[in-house]
Amino acid sequence: MKKHIRPSGVRQPSGERGRGEDSSPNPGSAEASRANVVWMEEVGMNDVASVGGKNASLGELLGSVGKKGVRVPSGFIVTAAAYEYILKKNNLNAFIKETLSGIQVRNIKELARRAKKIRDKIIASKLPPDLAGEIVKGYREMERQYGKNVDVAVRSSATAEDLPDASFAGQQETYLGIRGEAAVLKAVMWTIASLFNDRAIVYRAEKGYSHTHIALSVGVQKMVRAGEGSSGVMFTLDTESGFKDVVLITASLGLGELIVQGRVSPDEYIVFKPTLGKFPKPIISKAMGQKEGKMVYSKQNESVDISRVKEIKTSEKERSTFCLSDKDILTLAKWATMIEDHYTRRRGSWSPMDIEWAKDGDGKLYILQARPETVQVKRDVTVFREYLLRGKPRKLLAKGISVGHSIVSGRARVIHHPKEAEQFKKGEILITKMTDPDWGPIMKMATAIVTDSGGRTSHAAIVSRELGIPAIVGAHDATKKIRTGDIITIDVAGSEGRIYPGKVSFTMTEQNIKALPKTKTKLMLNLASPDMAFGYSHLPVQGVGLAREEFIIASYIGIHPSAVLNFKTLPPDIKKKVANRTRGWSDPRQFYIDKLAFGIAKIAAAFYPKQVIVRFSDFKSNEYAGLIGGDLYEPKEENPMIGWRGASRYYAPAFRKAFELEIKAFLKVRNDMGLKNVIPMVPFCRTIEEAKKVLALMAEDGLVPRSLAKKKSEGVETIMMCEIPSNVVLADEFLNYFDGFSIGSNDLTQLALGLDRDSGTIAKVGNENDPAIRKLISGAIDACKRRKKYSGICGQGPSDLPDFGDFLVRKGIGSMSLNPDTVVKTLVRIAKLEKKLKF
């Protein structure tokens, strides 16, 4: 079959693939390299040299996953051969070579002058009549299928684009919403000229690609009317940690340019791949973005204007509504994994993908592009680096989303426009509102980057990762709070990027995990922040021994559970605060359940299928009072540390319904998301009677403990915190109802020695190494070993007191749960001890 635009009257490949129809012949042909215009269905990844990475990938998608239900809008391609034809017919090759001869890309003024000279020359050139005729013929065929003046996207696709070692993302131009033959021809020439944008020239120079050995192909693709819907970007891994078991989806209203440019803070969704398609709803995170504006079609000069889009502000309702339904999220995630699977099979090794998608105004979803992810795929996860600030910084200047994992200090420079590039000095920290590809030359000189707007898939975030420099995006008013010349410290070692004044000292430790020995004693993590879980998933641990609900409730939710249960009767000021906090949810109760479930799920997903023990809420009354609406429901206690906390709350009439919200969150994680590795743990259970009451409530709400299940295999493993002397004294009786103990050495020490943990005055009286505490812990471990049940410790002791850890190993404890920064050194110590003891 000929690889060129077919004559009128011959049926063209469908512009909306994914309905099971047959595709064009096998993609990838030598004929494609000789043709000037081909259909997208007629090419594949073997044709990168003739149609560029982007167009080759579109053809590959249409010929593979397009047959399996993934919608990919079709179109035609003006090939690299056509590009060479245009240059030859207009005698441009020698001109381009001469103009770029000896160019110094760091000389920004000279770079801009020469680049513009080439672009102007190309735009002023003429399309050869025969080639123009083929392009018009292709557009007319699309009109026959979609209607007169069909709107198309005219996209660049360089022959060195979307390669595993360099993405070339955003270097050339894309023109959206183009209508009419004249506008298409014009857009093709403007797109070709964009191969010589300032940023594209710099990028090629930095990557070592010759300017004259790269050609440009142009894709003319059916436009998805996302201006009336939504659009975004998704990755088949976590973009910061490289964690491979998730699909990260960002979404905003309108056309996708604003997300890529970082001019809006998008919604963000995370889907867990291992249980996708096996359980009803493995969406493990949903976060609402600001979505400050959207790009839509402009109705002016529709027939000839090369750019028919404009930016408008979003309404309050639009900002307070998620762009995607759960069904949409799962569909996109399924498509993303299909695309990743295809490319992985094709390449013979794991191939995470960076994918652009759009939702038409009619509600249909489409895949617009797919390229290999080029940063995290090369990361060596066997090397673990830990950055820690020394001391406490004076104050916090601004915060946002972390990109990278490091801490740097330097001199700030606030830049508002890339034309101010000459002011920027190498090694400074760039502070700006947002970036786009024109900022490339400045970004390459920066030590770190901070932008007021943007999300994890914005231009600033993507380029920072590729350059290997830390960045904070979505920092809101950083450009107002930081002045040029200020010395600042950028901390992106955690999930939240923070900016501090001055130079703050820090430490960095590095450990090759592969070289670490194995231990018989299981090492697990104490983990509070779900946002840190993916980053810690590479640590040599056997799961999580303690995940605290309190952090999730305080950070993700921020509302007292009774306030969401009694929303309608709240005082107006509290009601307003709750409403603002629960934007995107029609029912505050469901917000509480979902957010708690998302926090638990991110931790569980990071270590799946390893055991993750999640403790039910253990706030004290004074801590609960600090949440929104908390003062309305909490008593004033003289000593909250030994007051209304843990198990005694759950069955109390004033808290019973609140505990039910926690159970529903657990059920959502286990049954809807499929994270069966989540194990509930009951804290501060004073008596056997309390144990019976709490377990009965769990069963009543559907989370049936093993001890109450008709068949043990049908019940949920349930652990109890062993942290009160009565738990040890009556260990065998408590173990009749629970599947093991997790020893809370902090509270056990407090209660056995009569210490107030909140009091610094008597803190030196004793710790876990006290003989009385060791005797209690020995009793708890012995009881678990005797009953063949789980024994672990999740208190601070093993992390802070190495010799206490040695004692636990000698006693034969099943597992030790440690703080992340102590895992490696504790593992090495335990391995030596076990070898000495001949374990």
Side-chain angles (χ1 to χ4, degrees), residues 24 27-28 32 38-45 47 51 55-56 59-60 77:
S24 54
V38 297
W39 287 102
M40 286 179 177
E41 285 89 342
E42 297 174 327
V43 301
M45 291 309 295
D47 295 307
V51 298
N55 285 333
E60 185 81 18
I77 300 165

Side-chain angles (χ1 to χ4, degrees), residues 116-395:
K116 186 175 185 301
K117 187 177 179 182
I118 295 173
R119 293 196 303 273
D120 289 347
K121 185 81 168 176
I122 292 173
I123 290 168
S125 301
K126 291 185 178 180
L127 269 169
D130 55 338
L131 176 57
E134 285 191 79
I135 295 170
V136 168
K137 188 180 291 184
Y139 183 71
R140 286 176 180 172
E141 291 292 353
M142 292 185 73
E143 283 186 311
R144 262 184 277 280
Q145 183 170 347
Y146 299 109
K148 187 69 176 172
N149 276 343
V150 57
D151 48 346
V152 295
V154 180
R155 302 179 181 276
S156 61
S157 181
T159 54
E161 193 168 55
D162 294 349
L163 301 180
D165 62 332
S167 70
F168 282 77
Q171 298 308 311
Q172 291 79 228
E173 300 292 350
T174 289
Y175 297 97
L176 305 176
I178 304 301
R179 279 188 175 177
E181 297 168 6
V184 169
L185 293 172
K186 184 179 177 183
V188 167
M189 289 302 285
W190 276 70
T191 304
I192 287 172
S194 74
L195 185 61
F196 298 97
N197 278 336
D198 303 10
R199 59 186 184 250
I201 293 171
V202 172
Y203 192 93
R204 289 194 294 272
E206 295 282 346
K207 291 291 182 181
Y209 287 85
S210 168
H211 301 297
T212 54
H213 291 169
I214 290 179
L216 193 82
S217 167
V218 179
V220 180
Q221 187 182 28
K222 171 68 179 77
M223 187 79 188
V224 177
R225 298 189 67 86
E228 300 169 10
S230 56
S231 55
V233 181
M234 55 183 173
F235 287 82
T236 59
L237 48 54
D238 177 60
T239 53
E240 300 314 311
S241 65
F243 182 63
K244 67 194 311 185
D245 283 343
V246 292
V247 176
L248 168 69
I249 303 170
T250 58
S252 195
L253 297 167
L255 303 169
E257 295 301 295
L258 297 187
I259 283 189
V260 176
Q261 293 170 8
R263 292 168 67 180
V264 295
S265 301
D267 295 342
E268 183 176 293
Y269 316 98
I270 301 177
V271 180
F272 188 51
K273 288 193 285 190
T275 57
L276 180 62
K278 301 172 185 175
F279 286 84
K281 210 172 282 186
I283 302 168
I284 64 171
S285 180
K286 287 171 68 174
M288 182 168 289
Q290 295 296 319
K291 305 187 292 289
E292 301 91 335
K294 63 178 178 177
M295 188 174 282
V296 298
Y297 281 129
S298 169
K299 294 183 179 179
Q300 299 175 348
N301 303 320
E302 289 192 5
S303 60
V304 295
D305 193 18
I306 200 166
S307 181
R308 294 181 50 250
V309 295
K310 63 179 180 180
E311 184 180 346
I312 62 173
K313 288 186 176 180
T314 49
S315 66
E316 175 57 34
K317 183 179 179 182
E318 289 175 318
R319 291 192 294 273
S320 302
T321 305
F322 282 110
C323 292
L324 296 175
S325 67
D326 287 353
K327 183 180 178 182
D328 289 336
I329 295 165
L330 295 173
T331 297
L332 286 174
K334 179 184 175 185
W335 288 359
T337 57
M338 290 169 67
I339 293 168
E340 180 185 65
D341 288 347
H342 172 76
Y343 276 86
T344 295
R345 286 194 302 271
R346 197 182 194 286
R347 293 198 172 101
S349 62
W350 178 50
S351 182
M353 302 298 290
D354 168 357
I355 303 163
E356 292 183 25
W357 63 270
K359 183 178 181 180
D360 200 291
D362 64 4
K364 290 180 180 177
L365 293 164
Y366 294 86
I367 297 299
L368 304 181
Q369 284 185 44
R371 62 176 71 88
E373 193 276 341
T374 59
V375 178
Q376 293 294 347
V377 70
K378 294 183 285 188
R379 181 181 177 188
D380 183 3
V381 297
T382 64
V383 177
F384 180 74
R385 294 183 181 88
E386 183 77 12
Y387 292 82
L388 291 172
L389 288 173
R390 281 180 174 166
K392 192 174 181 181
R394 297 195 306 273
K395 66 175 183 176

Side-chain angles (χ1 to χ4, degrees), residues 797-810:
S799 295
D800 293 347
L801 307 167
D803 52 339
F804 178 65
D806 294 351
F807 155 73
L808 294 170
V809 173
R810 292 176 189 275

Side-chain angles (χ1 to χ4, degrees), residues 53-90:
K54 193 179 299 178
N55 285 333
S57 183
L58 282 168
E60 185 81 18
L61 292 173
L62 284 160
S64 57
V65 295
K67 295 178 178 179
K68 300 175 183 178
V70 179
R71 292 192 197 92
V72 183
S74 184
F76 63 89
I77 300 165
V78 181
T79 66
Y83 166 84
E84 300 288 359
Y85 184 39
I86 292 168
L87 264 55
K88 183 178 179 182
K89 281 290 187 180
N90 289 280

